[in-house]
Amino acid sequence: RGPSEQRLRASASAGAMTDRSGRPSVATGELHSVLRHKLKQAQNEKANLEAELADLKQERSRLLSPLEAELHRLQTALWEQEQHAEGEASKASRTVQALERRV
């Protein structure tokens, strides 16, 4: 066996799909057909997954909206309580100072 025949056998075993003359074999056309089919399947799956992702994002927004509103309400209520507590503490401090001046 010569070096060129060995290269052809090596390339064929590596998936090159050529005959001894180096021309594409019938299997190459079949391979392309299979690959086109697999590509189409992958594209369809990608489209389905993208649609599912969009649905999940919409569902997430729908579920988070009331939670975000409740969080905002609670943050506002906490701020109001803190303001009231600070006002009461300030009032108590002024009362203590006034009583201390009387003593």
Side-chain angles (χ1 to χ4, degrees), residues 45-59:
E45 186 174 345
K46 179 184 176 200
N48 290 339
L49 290 172
E50 287 173 342
E52 184 179 350
L53 178 61
D55 291 344
L56 290 171
K57 285 181 177 180
Q58 187 175 13
E59 179 73 4

Side-chain angles (χ1 to χ4, degrees), residues 5 13 48 56 67 75:
E5 188 176 345
S13 67
N48 290 339
L56 290 171
L67 295 174
Q75 287 174 331

Side-chain angles (χ1 to χ4, degrees), residues 28-46:
T28 302
E30 293 171 11
L31 176 64
H32 287 180
S33 177
V34 168
L35 291 176
R36 278 192 302 273
H37 178 70
K38 287 186 179 207
L39 176 62
K40 186 65 175 172
Q41 283 179 326
Q43 289 170 335
N44 289 338
E45 186 174 345
K46 179 184 176 200

Side-chain angles (χ1 to χ4, degrees), residues 63-81:
L63 293 173
L64 284 178
S65 183
L67 295 174
E68 289 171 340
E70 180 66 6
L71 176 62
H72 179 69
R73 185 191 71 76
L74 291 171
Q75 287 174 331
T76 300
L78 176 61
W79 182 83
E80 289 172 354
Q81 284 181 340

